[in-house]
């Protein structure tokens, strides 16, 4: 017997390989290993989900069905005359509710002797793994997290499974064929979505491990959130406008900005204290010369109705307050060979705290509570979450959980988990952690992912549209960007003013609206003793760019406020059903093939179509309106039948917007007050 009925599925053994197929929530999990038994892990999938499945085994075929998803396993023998013995093979297919095969492992290719599941020894333990699937050449794909590229359809692309500054790998993909696929493996690797086949590759892993479900994009999102964890309900402060810059360098400067927003009656929910409010990386505390009374600062902000977010970096400098304790407690990332310098910044040689180590997470949380929580601070900006090695030599570094090559993509999720678990221990629900990278499951810990240190260019603005769509499709519904881009923005440059307005418009219809950037010219800083401190950038408040620009920006902040009830319901749908806040057109219109290829427009929830202007000097643009709905131009009231491209006027103050319902149109009525 090669089949064994197990709880919720089947186990097959043949020619040294073990393959386990079982129900997992509203999908099916497949694990396979050579010369061993499948193992449990703490990767993306939750343990406390239903394992129920319908199982049918007949001779050489097994079927495992959960809802509308079936995995069919077909065993066969092959007498390989050129090596002189019989081999046993297993080939898996994924079938949706209507009986269509949507994904199937490759065959042997006849004389090619191909294998769908390939195991090779890895120097990092376990095996280098490869799984290949036949897939429809005509399919369209979305998801996989955040990559700085212009493609909305990922078919034909190859993506690195690794985190970098402005790249966040979340290995979950959704197909127009009606399936969602999770590569439940945090190792460094790649995914190739070729026209001839799809391939998933891992540098090092104990086993092949993936999860699949079928349905519409909305059904897939709900099933995936159930299997990997649902985002918390977005706190109210996440629905409004966030003010940030690199960097408010002292307490009074930050407070004066907050007061000025209130004096001008400009809505604001959050203000951010960026990095180097400390002395050295790894202090995780305010430097008293510049922040003499954090408790009073938080108290005044609270009275103003503004939440303070404080930057935390995982870097630890040798001269920091906590380096010795972390080093002696083996709580730092370790280089495999050579001098252990992982980053160099502001004159310091730096190592990273190891977020995969439970003791390190506890140490960090206790430090945050002592130095920030004691002042009433509960919301953190978890920067450098990749982490950002000075050189991305992933094979060089080791964590408590294993070699980076094998488990490296876990790091940002465990970073976010540090704060979420700390809040849970206090009897509180996780709030928001602004973080620069995420992995599958980060959403359950309150990860708000921003797109990293992108540049102040229209090309970068355009790339953030696809980044936001893909991140939401990959199951991370909370997404934001540095409005205006992080580097290259000159405060008094008219060309930058144009970009800022266009980015601000996009930001008003992002899951979180956050203004940030390192504006120039910067100002050098020293302590009272003459010691160097990191410079502060030029002003980056909405009034910093002249009254005409301020008028437009404030108009969009007020529109964001008018949208608050709608945005709150979008966040509720994200919490309850895993629905993206920022959606590709295909999410609501999966039967419209054109909707899978539109990269410069998106849906803010189900009923508002947003078409940002992403070309310098443009005062009009063309917009594709998906088939199956009627769309009303929010500026002119013109009504259009979907399935067509329309040309619309877009002077600088005007963001092209279309409403699908009368209620959505009413919410956008405030547009008439935005003019220049």
């Amino acid at each position: 017997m090669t089949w064994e009925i197990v709880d919720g599925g089947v186990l097959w053994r043949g020619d040294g390989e073990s393959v386990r197929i079982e129900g997992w929530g509203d999908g099916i999990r497949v694990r396979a290993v050579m010369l061993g038994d499948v193992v449990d892990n703490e990767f993306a999938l939750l343990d406390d989900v239903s394992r129920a499945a319908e199982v049918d085994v007949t001779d050489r075929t097994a079927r495992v069905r959960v809802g509308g998803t079936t995995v069919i396993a077909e065993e066969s023998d092959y007498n390989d005359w050129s090596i002189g013995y019989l081999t046993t093979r297993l080939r898996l297919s994924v079938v949706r509710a209507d009986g269509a095969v949507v994904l199937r492992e490759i065959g042997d290719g006849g004389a090619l002797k191909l294998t769908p599941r390939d195991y090779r020894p890895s120097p990092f333990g376990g095996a280098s793994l490869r799984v290949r699937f036949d897939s429809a050449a005509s399919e369209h794909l979305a998801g996989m997290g955040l990559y700085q590229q212009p493609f909305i359809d990922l078919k034909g692309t190859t993506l690195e499974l690794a985190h970098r500054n402005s790249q966040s790998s979340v290995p979950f993909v959704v197909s127009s064929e009606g399936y969602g696929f999770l590569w439940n493996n945090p190792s460094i690797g790649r995914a190739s979505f070729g026209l001839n086949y799809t391939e998933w590759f891992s540098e090092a892993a104990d086993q092949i491990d993936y999860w699949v479900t079928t349905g519409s994009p909305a059904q897939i999102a709900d099933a995936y959130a159930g299997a990997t964890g649902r985002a918390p309900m977005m706190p109210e402060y996440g629905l409004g406008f966030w003010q940030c810059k690199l960097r408010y360098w002292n307490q009074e400067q930050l407070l004066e900005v907050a007061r000025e927003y209130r004096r001008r009656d400009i809505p604001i929910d959050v203000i951010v204290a960026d990095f180097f409010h400390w002395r050295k990386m790894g202090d995780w505390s305010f430097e008293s010369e510049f922040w003499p009374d954090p408790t009073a600062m938080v108290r005044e902000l609270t009275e103003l109705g503004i939440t303070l977010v404080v930057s935390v970096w995982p870097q630890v400098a040798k001269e920091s307050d906590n380096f010795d304790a972390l080093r002696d407690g083996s709580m730092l990332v370790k280089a495999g060979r050579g001098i252990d310098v992982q980053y160099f910044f502001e004159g310091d040689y730096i190592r990273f705290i190891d977020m995969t180590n439970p003791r390190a997470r506890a140490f960090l949380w206790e430090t945050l509570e002592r130095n920030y929580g004691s002042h009433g601070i509960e919301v953190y900006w978890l920067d450098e979450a990749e982490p950002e090695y000075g050189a991305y030599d992933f094979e060089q570094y080791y964590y408590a959980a294993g070699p980076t090559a094998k488990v490296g993509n876990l790091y940002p999720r465990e970073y976010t988990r540090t704060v979420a678990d700390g809040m849970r221990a206090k009897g509180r629900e996780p709030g928001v952690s602004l973080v620069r990278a995420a992995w599958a499951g980060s959403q359950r810990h309150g990860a708000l992912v921003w797109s990293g240190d992108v540049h102040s260019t229209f090309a970068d603005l355009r790339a953030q549209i696809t980044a936001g769509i893909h991140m939401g499709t990959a199951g991370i519904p909370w997404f934001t960007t540095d409005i205006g881009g992080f580097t290259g923005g000159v405060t008094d440059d008219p060309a930058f003013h144009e970009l800022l307005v266009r980015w601000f418009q996009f930001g008003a219809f992002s899951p979180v609206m956050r203004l940030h950037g390192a504006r120039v010219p910067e100002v050098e800083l020293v302590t009272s003793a003459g010691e160097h401190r990191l410079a502060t950038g030029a002003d980056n408040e909405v009034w910093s760019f002249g009254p005409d620009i301020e008028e437009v920006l404030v108009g969009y902040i007020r529109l964001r406020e008018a949208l608050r009830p709608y945005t709150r319901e979008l966040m509720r749908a994200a919490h309850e059903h895993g629905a993206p806040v920022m959606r590709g057109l295909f999410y609501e219109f999966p039967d419209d093939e054109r909707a899978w290829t539109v990269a410069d427009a998106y849906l803010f929830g189900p009923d508002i179509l947003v078409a940002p202007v992403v070309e310098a000097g443009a005062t009009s643009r063309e917009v594709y309106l998906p088939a199956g709905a009627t769309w009303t131009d929010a500026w002119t009231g013109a009504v259009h039948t979907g399935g067509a491209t329309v040309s619309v006027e877009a002077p600088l103050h005007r963001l092209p917007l279309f409403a699908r319902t009368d209620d959505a149109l009413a919410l956008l009525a405030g547009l008439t007050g935005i003019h220049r």
Side-chain angles (χ1 to χ4, degrees):
M1 290 289 293
T2 54
W3 301 105
E4 178 184 342
I5 304 298
V6 296
D7 184 27
V10 296
L11 175 65
W12 175 89
R13 289 189 177 94
D15 203 18
E17 187 183 28
S18 298
V19 180
R20 182 168 179 142
I21 309 163
E22 60 195 311
W24 207 278
D26 291 328
I28 296 174
R29 185 181 188 181
V30 176
R31 286 177 283 180
V33 65
M34 184 63 70
L35 297 176
D37 294 319
V38 298
V39 297
D40 295 325
N41 54 47
E42 292 187 3
F43 294 159
L45 293 170
L46 298 172
D47 285 331
D48 58 342
V49 297
S50 169
R51 310 290 174 86
E54 295 181 21
V55 179
D56 178 41
V57 177
T58 57
D59 191 21
R60 313 207 76 178
T61 301
R63 290 175 171 83
V64 178
R65 186 171 75 85
V66 174
T69 304
T70 302
V71 171
I72 301 175
E74 299 171 286
E75 181 189 67
S76 63
D77 291 332
Y78 174 62
N79 189 9
D80 190 337
W81 62 268
S82 64
I83 61 174
Y85 57 78
L86 190 73
T87 61
T88 304
R89 297 177 176 177
L90 190 71
R91 189 181 186 190
L92 308 184
S93 303
V94 180
V95 181
R96 66 188 186 204
D98 62 0
V101 176
V102 294
L103 199 62
R104 191 181 191 194
E105 290 181 334
I106 63 168
D108 61 16
L112 296 174
K113 297 185 182 181
L114 303 177
T115 56
R117 300 177 301 279
D118 187 59
Y119 309 83
R120 309 235 174 151
S122 169
F124 302 103
S128 292
L129 303 174
R130 180 172 63 169
V131 182
R132 287 178 286 179
F133 297 92
D134 291 330
S135 53
S138 60
E139 76 175 337
H140 305 290
L141 297 168
M144 296 299 295
L146 193 160
Y147 293 85
Q148 298 298 329
Q149 47 83 17
F151 306 111
I152 193 62
D153 184 1
L154 298 178
K155 191 69 171 181
T157 67
T158 295
L159 302 176
E160 179 188 42
L161 302 181
H163 308 306
R164 298 171 183 256
N165 184 343
S166 74
Q167 175 177 298
S168 191
S169 174
V170 185
F172 179 67
V173 68
V174 175
S175 169
S176 60
E177 292 291 300
Y179 69 85
F181 181 98
L182 168 69
W183 183 243
N184 188 35
N185 185 329
S187 77
I188 305 302
R190 66 175 178 272
S192 298
F193 303 110
L195 296 177
N196 51 346
Y197 59 80
T198 291
E199 177 181 284
W200 297 84
F201 171 77
S202 166
E203 290 280 2
D206 293 322
Q207 63 191 9
I208 291 167
D209 192 347
Y210 63 84
W211 178 89
V212 65
T213 191
T214 61
S216 68
Q219 290 168 330
I220 290 169
D222 195 23
Y224 177 74
T228 62
R230 302 186 187 279
M233 181 61 192
M234 173 63 79
E236 196 67 21
Y237 62 75
L239 306 181
F241 172 67
W242 293 32
Q243 173 62 50
C244 186
K245 65 169 278 187
L246 190 155
R247 65 188 178 91
Y248 296 121
W249 62 279
N250 68 67
Q251 178 174 325
E252 185 58 27
Q253 182 191 42
L254 184 145
L255 283 172
E256 186 54 32
V257 168
R259 295 168 189 144
E260 186 65 17
Y261 269 97
R262 288 294 180 239
R263 280 193 289 264
R264 294 173 182 250
D265 193 29
I266 301 172
I268 178 175
D269 277 62
V270 170
I271 195 165
V272 183
D274 202 349
F275 68 162
F276 279 97
H277 58 263
W278 51 73
R279 182 184 62 90
K280 290 290 183 180
M281 288 285 197
D283 285 350
W284 302 309
S285 62
F286 288 106
E287 187 170 13
S288 59
E289 178 179 341
F290 304 108
W291 308 85
D293 194 345
T295 299
M297 174 177 62
V298 173
R299 183 187 309 116
E300 180 174 349
L301 290 172
T302 301
E303 291 170 354
L304 292 170
I306 299 172
T307 296
L308 177 65
V309 174
V310 172
S311 173
V312 176
W313 281 47
Q315 295 186 0
V316 186
K318 183 178 181 298
E319 295 79 13
S320 75
D321 295 338
N322 298 304
F323 181 86
D324 289 347
L326 290 166
R327 179 199 57 199
D328 295 344
S330 299
M331 292 182 280
L332 296 173
V333 174
K334 183 69 178 170
R337 300 183 67 180
I339 298 172
D340 206 344
V341 175
Q342 298 157 13
Y343 200 85
F344 181 80
F345 192 51
E346 282 292 290
D348 290 325
Y349 296 99
I350 288 167
R351 292 172 65 182
F352 288 93
I353 186 171
D354 181 2
M355 295 303 180
T356 75
N357 185 329
R359 291 184 295 106
R361 292 198 300 271
F363 182 99
L364 177 59
W365 174 249
E366 291 165 4
T367 306
L368 298 183
E369 276 286 272
R370 181 173 61 253
N371 294 334
Y372 300 122
S374 62
H375 301 300
I377 297 165
E378 292 190 336
V379 188
Y380 297 102
W381 174 3
L382 305 180
D383 211 328
E384 289 276 310
E386 302 80 21
E388 186 182 13
Y389 293 112
Y392 289 108
D393 296 327
F394 298 112
E395 69 279 1
Q396 165 74 343
Y397 302 111
Y398 287 79
Y399 302 149
T404 301
K406 190 175 183 180
V407 299
N409 288 327
L410 285 176
Y411 191 98
R413 195 194 68 190
E414 299 302 273
Y415 192 9
T416 312
R417 176 184 176 184
T418 302
V419 173
D421 282 353
M423 294 299 292
R424 293 180 185 114
K426 294 172 66 174
R428 305 281 295 278
E429 286 297 312
V432 172
S433 286
L434 179 62
V435 65
R436 204 172 66 184
W439 195 66
S442 286
Q443 73 280 355
R444 64 182 183 247
H445 299 308
L448 164 61
V449 183
W450 100 96
S451 55
D453 295 347
V454 298
H455 299 297
S456 298
T457 70
F458 273 94
D460 282 61
L461 169 57
R462 185 184 182 108
Q464 305 325 297
I465 299 173
T466 54
I469 293 171
H470 286 307
M471 185 60 86
T473 307
I476 310 291
W478 298 355
F479 170 79
T480 189
T481 68
D482 292 349
I483 291 178
F486 180 67
T487 57
V490 181
T491 300
D492 59 358
D493 180 5
F496 176 68
H497 293 172
E498 179 191 8
L499 174 67
L500 178 66
V501 168
R502 294 306 193 188
W503 209 311
F504 208 88
Q505 292 166 347
F506 167 63
F509 288 87
S510 295
V512 167
M513 182 185 191
R514 170 176 158 273
L515 177 62
H516 183 56
R519 309 296 177 230
V520 292
E522 64 182 23
V523 178
E524 296 296 324
L525 300 173
V526 294
T527 68
S528 58
E531 296 176 355
H532 166 80
R533 290 294 182 265
L534 185 73
T536 180
D539 292 345
N540 191 47
E541 294 70 47
V542 295
W543 54 82
S544 304
F545 312 98
D548 290 345
I549 299 301
E550 178 186 357
E551 181 181 13
V552 178
L553 302 188
V554 172
Y556 279 94
I557 293 176
R558 297 197 189 286
L559 177 60
R560 176 78 180 199
E561 280 298 297
L563 288 169
R564 189 179 283 261
Y566 179 79
T567 308
R568 187 182 300 116
E569 291 309 305
L570 299 187
M571 294 299 182
R572 192 175 307 282
H575 167 56
E576 295 177 354
H577 301 292
V581 177
M582 184 177 170
R583 307 173 184 180
L585 303 187
F586 59 82
Y587 185 87
E588 298 289 337
F589 302 92
D591 296 329
D592 182 348
E593 186 170 3
R594 175 81 182 276
W596 289 87
T597 65
V598 174
D600 61 354
Y602 62 96
L603 295 166
F604 189 64
D607 298 326
I608 299 175
L609 190 152
V610 186
V613 176
V614 292
E615 294 182 8
T619 57
S620 66
R621 63 156 291 176
E622 292 190 337
V623 182
Y624 177 73
L625 304 174
T630 299
W631 301 94
T632 303
D633 187 320
W635 293 92
T636 67
V639 178
H640 304 275
T641 301
T645 298
V646 299
S647 181
V648 295
E649 296 301 312
L652 185 59
H653 70 280
R654 184 178 295 191
L655 167 66
L657 293 165
F658 294 84
R660 185 178 173 186
T661 65
D662 290 341
D663 287 345
L665 189 63
L667 285 170
L668 298 174
L671 288 171
T672 57
I674 299 174
H675 56 83
R676 185 183 177 199

